[in-house]
Amino acid sequence: MACKRGALIVLEGVDKAGKTTQCKKLVQLLQQSGRPAEMMRFPERTTTIGQLVGAYLENKSDLEDHTVHLLFSANRWELVPLMKKKLEQGTTLVVDRYAFSGVAFTSAKPGFSLDWCMKPDVGLPKPDLVIFLKLSPAEAALRGQFGEERYETSVFQQAVQQKFEELFKDPSVNWQVIDASQSVQAVHENITILSQKIINTAQDLPLGELWK
Ligand code: Z5A
């Protein structure tokens, strides 16, 4: 019998919502319980395209807004063969940001529609579950100052949050919203329940295509 596929689980949220913390905890838990699982993140700054994006985020270079949007998307597409291979081999992928960040961040800039921003990512592997870690700007501020990177201002982050809320209205995506102001452990427990359910369901289903 063919090997059951792994699930594609994405964590999204604004700055400091706890995405990286929770991706690591989920992967660790799955691995300890004997399920193959790996973490991925976007942008993946180690590739040639990822280095261009990284320099832009670190304010070491300037790129035209459409251009950088397409580079963020290209950074996902270049990893699709690897993602598909791992999923087919039965590995669950826990991904820190994905196309939804791409759309929310660019469409928060003046002159960009959600529709235009979604186009380059149409057809990417569709996540079986997208968990949005919801955190208000006031609660995020309690977790420390914004960093030095581009986009790390409270006005821009609020605009991004509104764009994510527009994306939640899309019923073709399995969005689940979790209150990220809870303790790390409480958020982890919520994520674990949702993830274990979807891993069991997804293993018998074909991998979908995003926004198609
Ligand atoms: N971007 C884009 O424009 N287009 C795209 O297509 C993509 C991304 C994919 C990449 O940032 C930037 O690129 C991002 C979007 C844009 N710009 N911004 N802003 P990144 O992914 O490299 O960095 P980040 O997502 O902003 O990471 P972050 O600030 O580190 O947030 P986080 O991963 O959600 O949080 P964390 O590192 O797990 O935790 C942050 C702090 O809070 C840390 O001190 C934790 O210990 C603490 N924490 C975590 N959870 C809790 C709880 N529950 N209680 C209390 N404290 C907590």
Side-chain angles (χ1 to χ4, degrees):
M1 200 176 95
C3 155
K4 305 248 187 196
R5 80 162 168 96
L8 180 55
I9 298 172
V10 168
L11 266 72
E12 287 281 9
V14 290
D15 202 40
K16 301 201 212 79
K19 300 173 295 297
T20 306
T21 305
Q22 293 297 336
C23 283
K24 286 184 183 162
K25 282 184 79 69
L26 178 60
V27 168
Q28 196 179 24
L29 176 101
L30 293 173
Q31 288 175 345
Q32 281 167 357
S33 63
R35 288 185 190 264
E38 287 181 28
M39 180 172 163
M40 293 182 77
R41 66 177 66 237
F42 290 107
E44 172 48 69
R45 301 187 195 209
T46 57
T47 67
T48 306
I49 294 170
Q51 284 169 22
L52 292 174
V53 168
Y56 169 83
L57 287 171
E58 290 158 29
N59 287 309
K60 291 180 181 155
S61 70
D62 274 324
L63 289 167
E64 192 276 332
D65 287 331
H66 298 79
T67 310
V68 77
H69 182 74
L70 297 173
L71 286 174
F72 272 113
S73 176
N75 184 229
R76 287 183 277 281
W77 279 107
E78 66 179 335
L79 287 161
V80 165
L82 180 67
M83 291 173 76
K84 285 189 170 168
K85 188 170 155 211
K86 287 189 182 287
L87 291 167
E88 278 160 17
Q89 287 171 341
T91 300
T92 285
L93 296 179
V94 178
V95 184
D96 188 347
R97 292 194 188 272
Y98 198 52
F100 313 99
S101 278
V103 174
F105 277 78
T106 304
S107 66
K109 297 177 179 179
F112 284 88
S113 68
L114 275 192
D115 191 46
W116 186 89
C117 293
M118 288 161 85
K119 290 257 156 61
D121 287 311
V122 170
L124 278 179
K126 182 176 172 178
D128 298 294
L129 171 66
V130 186
I131 296 173
F132 185 80
L133 297 182
K134 190 164 187 182
L135 192 68
S136 70
E139 286 158 333
L142 296 175
R143 295 186 185 174
Q145 300 292 313
F146 282 115
E148 300 289 304
E149 289 206 338
R150 208 181 283 265
Y151 303 147
E152 292 186 338
T153 67
S154 69
V155 173
F156 192 70
Q157 293 289 328
Q158 281 182 44
V160 170
Q161 175 106 16
Q162 281 172 9
K163 294 297 174 183
F164 272 121
E165 280 165 20
E166 288 182 45
L167 288 172
F168 296 162
K169 293 178 192 151
D170 174 5
S172 77
V173 173
N174 180 14
W175 284 101
Q176 299 290 333
V177 180
I178 289 181
D179 174 7
S181 69
Q182 304 174 85
S183 70
V184 170
Q185 188 55 27
V187 175
H188 173 61
E189 283 164 17
N190 287 323
I191 291 175
T192 303
I193 292 168
L194 292 170
S195 301
Q196 282 172 337
K197 253 192 229 162
I198 208 70
I199 289 169
N200 290 332
T201 316
Q203 62 184 358
D204 296 314
L205 298 173
L207 183 63
E209 292 178 298
L210 184 61
W211 295 324
K212 254 191 167 179

